[in-house]
Amino acid sequence: MSETLDYLRSSPLLGVFLTLLGYRIGRELKRLSGDHPLVQPVLVAIVFIGTATWLLDIDYDEYLIGGSVIAFFLGPATVALAVPLHRQAHHLRELLVPMLVALPVGAFVAISSGMLLVRGLGGDQALERTMAPKSATTPIAIGITEQIGGITALVAVFTIVAGIIGAVLGPTLLNLLRVRDHRARGLAMGAASHGIGTSRALHEHPVEGAFAGLAMGLTALLTSLLVPLAVHLLG
Amino acid sequence: MLNGMMWLLGCQLVGEVISRGLDLPVPGPVLGMVLLFIVLQVRRPPADANVLRTSDALLRHLQLLFIPAGVGVVTYLAVLRDDALPIVGGLFLSWLLGLVTVGWLVVLLVRGKGDHSTGAQRAAGGEPG
């Protein structure tokens, strides 16, 4: 038995299978709940895999042997976001100016408010600098945090949580705020909640998904340019 | 499926080489997305093209790909507890401010462009969310 467990700990098999199973359960629960926004497959899977690895006494690094096989496809999936954008390209020209204004302003608001709120609520400087890039996708946020002296281990957590909040609450909040234009909704989701928000937006409406993917890419770029500036200004 | 995956990985590869080679702040996959967008706009492939079908399949399960990083959250629960207020408050409120800023600014600026754009906006999907 322990020999079998040792094999499973060193093989990608278990990590890949647990990830697919957790996601499958998440999708099933989502269907059974009648598409309740709180039942996000990614959230259900995290709880399921967290519990399973704890019961089997498998630590995160061992899970990642298989997990990183799945995560590898984030790269090509990001490239694939060009396809919904290509299908909606006719909307792009009229949206160019609104986008070029709203996305930089939005990125700066998200960065500076994140830093000031952490400071105001009693966090230290390292935590403040870890919060700054949370709207960017995880790999970029990690790079930025390294550069400005934040806590790299935590920044991945912050970006994932920012994504999950968006997937859970984003569309409901946008309804409350009376943002009905699918292009504006998508841009807001991608700007505030990167890839996880984009994945929810893709399920809401094709136009929303296309603009969320675009906002995600541009916000990643803007965040890497604006965080050093915000750190300089708010020092 | 094979050709589609080759296109996606090929664009990512070129993106990574450009990003790392020129030391740009833009990540490789995002450059790859721009690259593929240009290719699609120029070549205009038919609706059943391999690269389109592969992309759709991959994007349908985009959430799946974030799960491994998400499981990492569980390992930091103890750290998060120590600084719970600044983390939860800062994260949630600044997320909200970012979402509101972008959503409202876009709506405002699209409306400001006059009757023609408002008509287009209605046509593009005015139905409630």
Side-chain angles (χ1 to χ4, degrees):
Chain A
M1 179 64 195
S2 76
E3 213 174 291
T4 313
L5 213 56
D6 281 344
Y7 160 74
L8 288 177
R9 283 201 181 96
S10 61
S11 155
L13 178 62
L14 189 66
V16 171
F17 184 73
L18 281 179
T19 310
L20 290 175
L21 183 62
Y23 177 67
R24 190 73 193 76
I25 294 171
R27 280 178 65 97
E28 204 57 35
L29 286 180
K30 182 171 186 275
R31 197 179 59 81
L32 289 173
S33 72
D35 255 349
H36 194 280
L38 251 179
V39 189
Q40 288 298 315
V42 68
L43 205 55
V44 175
I46 289 168
V47 174
F48 169 77
I49 297 165
T51 313
T53 48
W54 177 68
L55 286 175
L56 292 168
D57 193 22
I58 290 164
D59 56 5
Y60 183 56
D61 286 336
E62 287 162 345
Y63 158 74
L64 263 191
I65 298 170
S68 57
V69 174
I70 303 272
F72 168 79
F73 288 94
L74 263 180
T78 303
V79 177
L81 287 168
V83 168
L85 193 60
H86 163 68
R87 293 197 183 112
Q88 306 301 331
H90 53 283
H91 287 311
L92 268 181
R93 198 171 308 149
E94 51 192 296
L95 262 259
L96 200 61
V97 175
M99 233 165 49
L100 288 180
V101 175
L103 291 178
V105 174
F108 192 77
V109 166
I111 294 163
S112 53
S113 66
M115 291 179 68
L116 292 173
L117 279 160
V118 168
R119 191 184 300 177
L121 294 170
D124 60 10
Q125 197 192 48
L127 198 62
E128 194 178 305
R129 294 185 171 195
T130 311
M131 190 62 75
K134 61 116 185 29
S135 302
T137 46
T138 316
I140 303 172
I142 291 173
I144 299 170
T145 313
E146 256 166 23
Q147 210 184 332
I148 58 169
I151 312 158
T152 43
L154 266 187
V155 71
V157 175
F158 290 177
T159 54
I160 291 286
V161 174
I164 292 176
I165 299 174
V168 172
L169 293 177
T172 315
L173 258 164
L174 288 166
N175 287 345
L176 283 174
L177 296 165
R178 296 178 188 286
V179 179
R180 298 205 176 90
D181 186 326
H182 287 298
R183 301 164 300 179
R185 291 171 69 93
L187 288 170
M189 287 285 278
S193 292
H194 56 87
I196 303 182
T198 299
S199 120
R200 175 81 203 265
L202 279 165
H203 286 282
E204 296 284 306
H205 194 278
V207 175
E208 257 185 71
F211 279 91
L214 180 63
M216 181 196 94
L218 290 172
T219 298
L221 169 63
L222 287 164
T223 303
S224 61
L225 299 174
L226 291 176
V227 165
L229 178 72
V231 167
H232 180 73
L233 288 176
L234 305 172
Chain B
M1 195 72 182
L2 182 62
N3 278 338
M5 204 34 112
M6 293 281 289
W7 269 105
L8 295 180
L9 289 175
C11 287
Q12 186 188 351
L13 190 68
V14 175
E16 294 284 6
V17 170
I18 295 174
S19 165
R20 280 155 208 272
L22 300 177
D23 210 13
L24 299 177
V26 201
V30 171
L31 282 181
M33 173 172 103
V34 176
L35 204 65
L36 180 62
F37 177 72
I38 295 169
V39 170
L40 293 172
Q41 286 288 302
V42 172
R43 292 184 37 144
R44 308 230 154 248
D48 64 340
N50 233 310
V51 62
L52 301 185
R53 293 214 317 257
T54 309
S55 295
D56 286 338
L58 209 51
L59 289 179
R60 195 156 45 241
H61 299 293
L62 186 58
Q63 272 210 10
L64 166 70
L65 312 180
F66 288 98
I67 292 171
V71 175
V73 173
V74 179
T75 60
Y76 288 106
L77 286 179
V79 187
L80 297 179
R81 205 175 307 135
D82 294 339
D83 272 313
L85 183 68
I87 290 176
V88 175
L91 195 53
F92 181 76
L93 289 175
S94 71
W95 168 81
L96 184 67
L97 286 170
L99 185 89
V100 174
T101 306
V102 175
W104 275 354
L105 262 182
V106 173
V107 169
L108 207 74
L109 291 165
V110 168
R111 242 181 236 155
K113 285 175 81 182
D115 286 340
H116 173 75
S117 299
T118 335
Q121 176 193 340
R122 231 177 270 131
E127 77 265 29

